[in-house]
């Protein structure tokens, strides 16, 4: 079951999309339900926290004037939970549509709010096609086995889910690294450089001794050069790498 959340500040448009989403789910027999339709992004966030870690799709207006945050800021706040969430942005300005993909988030799609859409009582063909593509992509991601890296010792081989890795750090005095994940810690005889190549673009080197997951960054203190990560971890950032880390935070 996918929980669907809608956040739209205009009352008429909120009711329109509430109807469209509910009708689409019912008519296409999707394993989903609309659980929240709100104007205030704070209300959307609070509703999501009540649901917790269940898979959820958020359909959010980009511009939310008069409220404490806009659509981008709401998504960034939701991402701190590390729950399985997907996002679709609503916008009245087509020039903002492509901007949504600048953010390193699970953005599935966007919908441009065309005036002619709001003159119809039935679910429009355009909306049906967009929602078909959205749910198809979500189902693919849900059914896709998690990506793993494999480490070995003399007696066993362990697969570590990449999304669960928070950071990797060299073990002092040894040609080894320790991998810190949400589930456990692991030591393997590899270098930081080798781990950087294995883990790829979702991770960033913050010193000669440490790699962190971009997805697990909660905040960065530029003055102290510290990255605060999920699970309460803190990692020092070298002077050489601080600007690169701060750029990553700007687009999250």
């Amino acid at each position: 079951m996918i929980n669907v959340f809608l956040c739209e500040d205009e009352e008429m448009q909120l009711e329109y999309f509430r109807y469209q989403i509910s009708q689409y789910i019912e008519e296409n027999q999707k394993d989903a339900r609309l659980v929240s339709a709100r104007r205030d992004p704070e209300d959307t966030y609070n509703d999501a926290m009540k649901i917790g870690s269940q898979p959820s799709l958020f359909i959010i207006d980009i511009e939310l004037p008069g409220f404490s945050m806009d659509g981008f800021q709401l998504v960034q706040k939701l991402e701190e939970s590390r729950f399985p969430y997907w996002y679709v942005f609503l916008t009245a300005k087509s020039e903002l549509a492509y901007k949504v993909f600048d953010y390193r988030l699970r953005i599935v799609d966007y919908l441009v709010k065309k005036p002619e859409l709001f003159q119809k009582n039935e679910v429009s063909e355009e909306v049906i096609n967009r929602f078909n593509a959205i749910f198809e992509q979500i189902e693919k991601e849900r059914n896709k086995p998690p990506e793993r890296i494999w480490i070995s010792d003399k007696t066993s081989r362990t697969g570590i889910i990449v999304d669960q890795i928070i950071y990797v750090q060299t073990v002092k005095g040894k040609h080894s690294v320790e991998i810190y994940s949400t589930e456990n810690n692991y030591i393997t005889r590899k270098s930081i450089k080798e781990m950087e190549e294995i883990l790829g673009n979702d991770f960033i080197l913050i010193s000669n001794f440490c790699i962190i997951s971009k997805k697990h960054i909660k905040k960065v203190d530029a003055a102290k050069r510290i990255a605060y990560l999920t699970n309460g971890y803190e990692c020092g950032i070298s002077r050489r790498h601080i600007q690169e880390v701060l750029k990553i935070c700007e687009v999250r």
Side-chain angles (χ1 to χ4, degrees):
M1 175 71 73
I2 298 173
N3 297 297
V4 181
F5 295 79
L6 172 64
C7 185
E8 163 62 61
D9 65 306
E10 293 287 344
E11 188 67 43
M12 184 190 77
Q13 295 178 12
L14 178 70
E15 291 305 315
Y16 168 81
F17 281 111
R18 186 206 301 265
Y19 171 80
Q20 293 272 318
I21 293 163
S22 298
Q23 285 296 109
Y24 172 83
I25 289 171
E26 181 180 348
E27 292 173 4
N28 294 273
Q29 299 181 328
K30 294 296 181 182
D31 185 23
R33 58 176 182 161
L34 179 63
V35 297
S36 173
R38 301 282 203 164
R39 296 180 61 229
D40 189 332
E42 287 286 356
D43 291 336
T44 299
Y45 176 80
N46 291 334
D47 289 346
M49 293 304 101
K50 291 174 185 175
I51 295 290
S53 61
Q54 299 176 29
S56 298
L57 169 65
F58 291 83
I59 301 171
I60 300 172
D61 191 7
I62 292 178
E63 297 181 290
L64 297 167
F67 293 103
S68 60
M69 54 184 137
D70 62 20
F72 291 134
Q73 292 167 326
L74 172 57
V75 170
Q76 289 169 335
K77 188 173 181 180
L78 287 165
E79 278 292 275
E80 292 176 4
S81 68
R82 314 310 311 165
F83 293 150
Y85 291 162
W86 293 269
Y87 309 99
V88 171
F89 278 120
L90 302 173
T91 177
K93 300 177 180 178
S94 57
E95 65 270 18
L96 285 178
Y98 295 103
K99 184 176 174 60
V100 303
F101 296 107
D102 290 343
Y103 288 73
R104 296 175 184 273
L105 305 166
R106 286 189 294 275
I107 308 301
V108 181
D109 208 341
Y110 63 87
L111 291 169
V112 177
K113 298 186 288 185
K114 300 176 182 177
E116 58 268 24
L117 290 178
F118 304 104
Q119 299 171 8
K120 300 177 181 179
N121 292 323
E122 73 278 2
V123 184
S124 70
E125 184 177 352
E126 181 178 349
V127 171
I128 290 172
N129 290 338
R130 263 342 235 279
F131 277 130
N132 282 340
I134 289 164
F135 277 92
E136 182 179 345
Q137 183 171 333
I138 290 173
E139 286 305 314
K140 281 182 180 178
E141 289 191 23
R142 291 182 73 192
N143 295 326
K144 182 181 176 182
E147 184 182 356
R148 297 174 183 265
I149 63 167
W150 293 87
I151 61 172
S152 304
D153 57 26
K154 293 180 180 179
T155 60
S156 63
R157 190 166 181 255
T158 304
I160 307 171
I161 297 175
V162 173
D163 275 352
Q164 293 179 350
I165 297 174
I166 302 172
Y167 75 102
V168 180
Q169 183 171 269
T170 57
V171 178
K172 191 174 181 179
K174 297 182 179 180
H175 183 75
S176 301
V177 296
E178 186 163 8
I179 301 168
Y180 294 78
S181 83
T182 56
E183 300 298 316
N184 211 334
N185 297 351
Y186 309 88
I187 292 179
T188 182
R189 288 187 60 79
K190 292 186 180 298
S191 67
I192 279 288
K193 185 175 180 180
E194 288 172 318
M195 289 302 301
E196 185 181 15
E197 292 174 357
I198 291 169
L199 292 172
N201 292 331
D202 287 336
F203 290 76
I204 181 170
L205 185 72
I206 63 168
S207 72
N208 291 337
F209 315 102
C210 186
I211 301 166
I212 63 175
S213 166
K214 296 175 184 177
K215 297 177 181 178
H216 285 280
I217 299 173
K218 292 181 70 175
K219 68 175 183 177
V220 171
D221 187 322
K224 295 181 179 178
R225 299 203 317 277
I226 295 176
Y228 296 91
L229 311 177
T230 55
N231 283 27
Y233 291 119
E234 300 177 11
C235 294
I237 308 168
S238 71
R239 293 183 185 276
R240 177 183 173 187
H241 293 91
I242 185 64
Q243 292 303 319
E244 187 178 357
V245 176
L246 290 173
K247 285 180 182 178
I248 293 297
C249 295
E250 286 176 4
V251 298
R252 287 179 72 248

